[in-house]
């Protein structure tokens, strides 16, 4: 993928296209005031019936690392496939899940940015490096809850990222920081008003030579620090085109280079996303969205024994196309009826070269890929009956797996394999429902039941790969016969606010993902571990979630705790997995943040976070111990819109193991201190 003048020109055109519309609206503003928000339709009244958590702007901009995945970790139960953040892990492993329903690198949680799915069309991973917290106004995390109006893929929950509006961003804003290793982070945004609308252009650049992800005892001459260099540019325009109707355009391009563990072990990901959204807030409310994604990925794997390339994943172009429309007809003050449909098409291709790691000679060429489609229709209704709010909905998805292929050639170019897979398609019906009862002021009971669907990714269907560590080769084979994951869940909870300053909540849940996709070990010798992506009978997770918030004015406390018992249910040839905990899944996760605001503009925050122990593999052979980290954030105003910023990651310098492959380990970021300036002009 080439990111250059053409991409920048597209971004500028997206914003420029709205300028005449905004100017025309400005001429009418005096006669009919128009309010532009840049947001979608208001959340449904029954959202609190599901286990949801709001993250506000202040929390987004005051994390210890300045990374969105760090902010999301404040919601206990959020996890990625790896414990490390998006600076220090392979981009294809950046999945996201909730409620201990992990086990592989693909996201089981639907991540939306202004309604647009962010998952990579090929891998199902999320480009966290391209999603910067300072561009966001709020986040809503819904654990469980089923697919509903969010689209298929939300088997473990939904993360809704909402861009900040003009009033939040101000005219000019930015940050410039450096850390004690000489790494830097630069970001900025310009958001001028355009008549009755506004435009925004923002950017961020992060670079650094990183740290040693390889433990000192395992370093060799070829070991290097985890170097990274990533940037992203976003443009957004919002303009009214009629009374109560606004047009929103968004564009984002990003580019990311990383080096992990060994010299030459490089990865490169890039993307160009564009979307148009039309939102109507009149008597007949509507939200219409269309988007296109162009993503690319390349990766060089270095042998851990010869330290030469063993695989060059040269190109993995992927395209995502989609759209959604939702209509809310006026059915009376006690009902909110939502009728809609959505469509997503994901296409990806793989082009890679395999080498003899000892001689450097080419041994094979491989190509694979395919296309997945999903067309969904849904209807949901929220009904208020005094203190009781009821919600229910049904969704039907027409899913298909198409154009799958796998080809290979030897070093001379002679074809050794050429397989085209038959297309598959069917309908799947899911639903959800819940109730919210206000028993008394400050006391609410809630309960819900739901189901959801996730298709296997193109990567899971067609891409095989091999990793070599500590003299052991781990071969993971794709499986073009993989079926869909189907989730069913139940939960009940209570929200209690005995006084306005104190909010408490507790949730008990039971989630079951049938036909869950896992990397299943099928053979093992002293030198080779063979795994195949397979559908196991199920992953069952049950547990308790707690949250507490205390606001005493200058001092506040926010805490979250998730206790989860997750097991694999398997039979037949997979019986060895039955009762095992899913890979990469902890039993306990907790986060607590204490914030101090002595006066206007001043702020301090300390974050204590605990990760429970988890296993690298399906057979629970390789353990990654629990860890507790401390982070901090300080902001001190200097005047004229400028503030001094101080951040601290892992201040206790705890060793966090992020990978344990047959004893070959990676570790997370050590103690890191950032300092710099933040400025803003309204």
């Amino acid at each position: 993928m080439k990111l250059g003048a053409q991409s920048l020109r597209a971004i500028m055109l997206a914003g420029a296209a709205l300028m005449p519309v905004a100017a025309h609206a400005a001429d009418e503003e005096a006669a009919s005031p128009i309010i532009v928000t840049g947001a979608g339709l208001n959340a449904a009244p029954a959202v609190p019936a599901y286990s949801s958590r709001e993250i506000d702007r202040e929390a987004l901009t005051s994390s210890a690392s300045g990374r969105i995945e760090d902010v999301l970790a404040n919601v206990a139960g959020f996890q990625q496939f790896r414990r490390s953040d998006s600076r220090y892990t392979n981009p294809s492993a950046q999945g996201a899940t909730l409620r201990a329903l992990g086990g592989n690198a693909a996201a089981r949680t639907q991540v939306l940015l202004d309604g647009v799915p962010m998952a990579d069309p090929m891998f199902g991973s999320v480009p966290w490096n391209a999603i910067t917290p300072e561009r966001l106004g709020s986040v809503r995390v819904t654990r469980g809850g089923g697919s509903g109006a969010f689209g298929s893929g939300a088997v473990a929950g939904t993360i809704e990222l909402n861009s900040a509006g003009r009033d939040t961003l101000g005219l000019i804003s930015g940050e410039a920081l450096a850390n004690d290793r000489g790494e830097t982070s630069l970001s900025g945004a310009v958001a001028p008003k355009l008549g009755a609308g506004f435009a925004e252009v923002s950017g961020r650049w992060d670079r650094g030579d990183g740290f040693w992800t390889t433990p000192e005892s395992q370093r060799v001459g070829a070991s290097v620090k985890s170097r990274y260099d990533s940037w992203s540019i976003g443009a957004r325009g919002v303009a009214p085109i009629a009374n109560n109707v606004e047009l929103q355009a968004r564009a984002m391009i990003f580019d990311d280079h990383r080096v992990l563990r060994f010299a030459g072990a490089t990865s490169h990901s890039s993307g160009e996303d564009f979307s148009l959204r039309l939102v109507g807030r009149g008597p007949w409310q509507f939200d219409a969205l269309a988007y296109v994604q162009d993503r690319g990925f390349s990766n060089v794997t270095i042998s851990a024994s010869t330290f030469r390339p063993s695989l060059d994943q040269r190109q993995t172009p992927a395209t995502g196309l989609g759209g959604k429309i939702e209509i809310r007809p006026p059915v009376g003050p006690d009902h909110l009826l939502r009728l809609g449909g959505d469509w997503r098409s994901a296409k990806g291709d793989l082009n890679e070269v395999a080498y003899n790691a000892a001689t450097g000679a080419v041994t094979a060429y491989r190509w694979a890929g395919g296309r997945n489609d999903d067309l969904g229709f849904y209807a949901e209704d929220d009904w208020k009956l005094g203190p009781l709010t009821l919600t229910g909905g049904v969704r039907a998805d027409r899913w298909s797996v198409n154009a799958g292929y796998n080809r290979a050639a030897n070093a001379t170019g002679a074809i050794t394999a050429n397989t085209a897979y038959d297309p598959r398609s069917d309908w799947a019906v899911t639903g959800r429902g819940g109730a919210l009862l206000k028993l008394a002021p400050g006391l609410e009971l809630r309960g819900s039941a739901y189901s959801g669907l996730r298709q296997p990714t193109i990567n899971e269907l067609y891409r095989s790969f091999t990793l070599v560590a500590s003299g052991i080769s781990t071969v993971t084979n794709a499986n073009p016969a993989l079926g869909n994951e189907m989730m069913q869940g139940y939960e009940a909870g209570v929200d209690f606010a005995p006084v306005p300053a104190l909010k408490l909540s507790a949730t008990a849940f039971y989630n079951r993902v049938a036909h869950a996709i896992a990397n299943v070990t099928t053979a093992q010798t002293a030198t080779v571990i063979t795994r195949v992506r397979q559908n196991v009978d199920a992953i069952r997770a049950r547990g308790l979630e707690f949250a507490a918030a205390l606001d005493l004015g200058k001092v506040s406390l926010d805490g979250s705790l998730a206790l989860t018992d997750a097991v694999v249910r398997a039979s037949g040839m997979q019986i060895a997995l039955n009762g095992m905990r899913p890979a990469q899944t902890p039993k306990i996760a907790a986060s607590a943040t204490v914030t101090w605001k002595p006066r206007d503009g001043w702020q301090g925050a300390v974050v204590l976070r605990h990760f429970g122990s988890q296993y690298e593999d399906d057979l629970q052979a390789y353990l990654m111990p629990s860890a507790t980290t401390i982070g901090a954030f300080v902001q001190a105003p200097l005047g004229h819109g400028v503030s001094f910023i101080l951040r601290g990651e892992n201040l206790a310098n705890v060793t966090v193991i992020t990978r344990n492959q047959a004893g070959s380990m990676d570790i997370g970021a050590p103690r890191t201190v950032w300092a710099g300036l933040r400025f803003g002009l309204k």
Side-chain angles (χ1 to χ4, degrees):
M1 181 183 302
K2 296 182 179 179
L3 300 170
Q6 184 176 359
S7 302
L8 294 173
R9 187 160 50 251
I11 282 184
M12 291 187 288
L13 288 174
L18 296 180
M19 292 184 183
V21 179
H24 174 72
D27 294 337
E28 301 179 354
E29 187 174 6
S32 178
I34 297 175
I35 298 175
V36 169
T37 68
L41 295 177
N42 292 335
V47 164
Y50 304 99
S51 179
S52 62
R53 172 86 180 273
E54 298 282 341
I55 302 176
D56 60 20
R57 171 75 176 178
E58 182 178 281
L60 286 165
T61 58
S62 60
S63 70
S65 68
R67 316 291 297 185
I68 183 62
E69 58 268 41
D70 186 27
V71 176
L72 292 172
N74 289 337
V75 180
F78 168 81
Q79 65 179 104
Q80 300 184 86
F81 184 65
R82 298 290 180 200
R83 289 170 167 179
S84 52
D85 68 33
S86 59
R87 294 165 292 186
Y88 314 118
T89 191
N90 190 286
S92 64
Q94 292 177 187
T97 192
L98 295 159
R99 289 199 164 155
L101 291 171
N104 61 22
R108 285 194 169 107
T109 297
Q110 181 77 283
V111 180
L112 305 172
L113 175 58
D114 296 331
V116 177
M118 285 288 100
D120 185 273
M122 175 81 178
F123 296 98
S125 53
V126 180
W128 299 116
N129 57 302
I131 305 172
T132 57
E134 57 267 25
R135 296 178 191 163
L136 302 177
S138 65
V139 176
R140 180 188 296 118
V141 179
T142 302
R143 293 176 279 205
S147 297
F150 301 119
S152 65
V155 294
T158 306
I159 299 174
E160 299 171 82
L161 308 169
N162 304 301
S163 294
R166 165 64 175 80
D167 293 341
T168 299
L169 291 172
L171 176 60
I172 300 174
S173 59
E175 286 185 0
L177 295 99
N179 69 19
D180 52 342
R181 293 192 297 270
E183 299 166 1
T184 58
S185 177
L186 301 173
S187 65
V190 178
K193 292 183 177 179
L194 297 175
F198 67 88
E200 172 210 341
V201 178
S202 60
R204 178 163 172 167
W205 178 31
D206 296 289
R207 57 144 303 276
D209 291 332
F211 61 93
W212 292 104
T213 57
T214 306
E216 186 173 1
S217 61
Q218 297 183 1
R219 293 175 201 162
V220 295
S223 298
V224 296
K225 295 181 179 181
S226 54
R227 187 170 69 251
Y228 65 94
D229 191 333
S230 65
W231 57 263
S232 65
I233 298 175
R236 190 164 173 256
V238 179
I241 60 174
N243 192 25
N244 293 321
V245 180
E246 67 182 57
L247 178 65
Q248 304 170 11
R250 185 176 62 82
M252 179 178 71
I253 62 175
F254 65 89
D255 194 70
D256 180 271
H257 292 264
R258 305 179 200 178
V259 179
L260 298 172
R261 196 173 178 85
F262 297 121
T266 59
S267 65
H268 174 218
S269 60
S270 56
E272 302 175 343
D273 291 9
F274 306 95
S275 66
L276 286 174
R277 190 180 196 183
L278 195 64
V279 179
R281 296 185 172 84
W284 281 77
Q285 298 184 35
F286 60 87
D287 189 341
L289 172 71
Y291 62 87
V292 58
Q293 299 166 319
D294 187 16
R295 302 283 178 84
F297 175 73
S298 62
N299 186 77
V300 176
T301 301
I302 299 296
S303 167
S305 56
T306 66
F307 311 112
R308 290 185 176 185
S310 60
L311 184 68
D312 184 359
Q313 193 173 334
R314 292 182 173 179
Q315 297 178 1
T316 311
T319 303
L321 299 172
K324 173 182 176 179
I325 185 167
E326 177 175 302
I327 298 174
R328 300 181 179 183
V331 291
D334 297 328
H335 283 271
L336 176 62
L337 178 62
R338 307 168 69 186
L339 304 172
D342 51 63
W343 169 70
R344 179 169 170 81
S345 178
K347 183 179 184 298
D349 297 278
L350 169 71
N351 177 0
E352 66 182 21
V353 181
Y355 297 93
N356 183 315
T359 65
V362 173
T363 59
Y365 299 90
R366 291 191 285 263
W367 304 268
R371 190 183 81 245
N372 289 353
D373 294 282
D374 186 280
L375 176 64
F377 303 93
Y378 63 89
E380 291 201 1
D381 183 52
D382 293 355
W383 186 13
K384 288 187 175 181
L385 296 168
L388 177 65
T389 300
L390 300 175
T391 181
V394 63
R395 178 181 176 89
D397 286 275
R398 177 66 175 180
W399 62 266
S400 63
V401 177
N402 305 290
Y405 70 94
N406 202 316
R407 296 194 300 272
N410 61 22
T412 66
I415 299 297
T416 58
N418 190 359
T419 304
Y421 302 104
D422 293 335
R424 296 178 280 142
S425 62
D426 203 350
W427 284 94
V429 177
T430 56
R432 64 179 192 160
L436 180 69
L437 176 62
K438 296 184 178 180
L439 287 178
L443 179 61
E444 296 180 343
L445 299 180
R446 50 185 162 79
S448 60
Y450 40 80
S451 57
L453 158 77
R454 183 182 81 88
Q455 281 186 271
T457 64
I458 297 169
N459 175 61
E460 291 169 322
L461 288 165
Y462 308 116
R463 174 181 171 257
S464 302
F465 64 94
T466 301
L467 296 176
V468 181
S470 299
I472 299 177
S473 297
T474 302
V475 180
T476 303
N477 292 316
N479 183 357
L482 287 172
N484 296 335
E485 296 181 339
M486 301 296 296
M487 189 271 284
Q488 291 182 338
Y490 313 91
E491 64 185 59
V494 56
D495 299 310
F496 182 43
V499 294
L502 178 62
K503 297 180 180 178
L504 303 171
S505 72
T507 304
F509 67 89
Y510 177 95
N511 287 176
R512 184 178 186 273
V513 179
H515 316 303
I517 298 170
N519 296 335
V520 177
T521 300
T522 56
Q524 188 167 353
T525 68
T527 58
V528 179
I529 300 173
T530 302
R531 294 181 180 138
V532 179
R533 295 187 179 101
Q534 295 181 357
N535 293 103
V536 299
D537 291 346
I539 292 177
R540 187 270 294 154
R542 61 189 178 191
L544 299 171
E545 297 162 345
F546 302 95
L550 177 64
D551 188 352
L552 300 178
K554 293 183 179 181
V555 178
S556 61
L557 170 67
D558 186 85
S560 182
L561 170 67
L563 304 173
T564 309
D565 173 30
V567 297
V568 175
R569 296 303 185 197
S571 58
M573 298 295 290
Q574 303 167 346
I575 191 64
L577 301 182
N578 192 50
M580 295 285 191
R581 198 190 321 171
Q584 307 291 339
T585 301
K587 288 184 177 180
I588 181 172
S591 177
T593 303
V594 177
T595 303
W596 178 50
K597 294 183 286 187
R599 54 182 183 271
D600 288 346
W602 291 80
Q603 183 179 346
V606 176
V607 180
L608 183 69
R609 190 167 293 146
H610 178 75
F611 312 89
S613 61
Q614 59 194 60
Y615 290 97
E616 174 76 29
D617 62 317
D618 59 328
L619 295 177
Q620 299 187 182
Y622 308 114
L623 179 69
M624 292 178 286
S626 61
T628 302
T629 62
I630 300 174
F633 171 86
V634 174
Q635 174 176 289
L638 302 177
H640 303 287
V642 180
S643 297
F644 173 72
I645 300 295
L646 192 64
R647 302 181 189 269
E649 304 179 58
N650 191 10
L651 292 176
N653 204 30
V654 174
T655 298
V656 180
I657 297 176
T658 61
R659 184 186 64 87
N660 181 1
Q661 187 72 34
S664 173
M665 298 183 183
D666 286 339
I667 56 178
R671 180 190 297 114
T672 306
V673 178
W674 294 84
L677 299 176
R678 171 182 291 175
F679 63 94
L681 176 64
K682 293 295 184 180

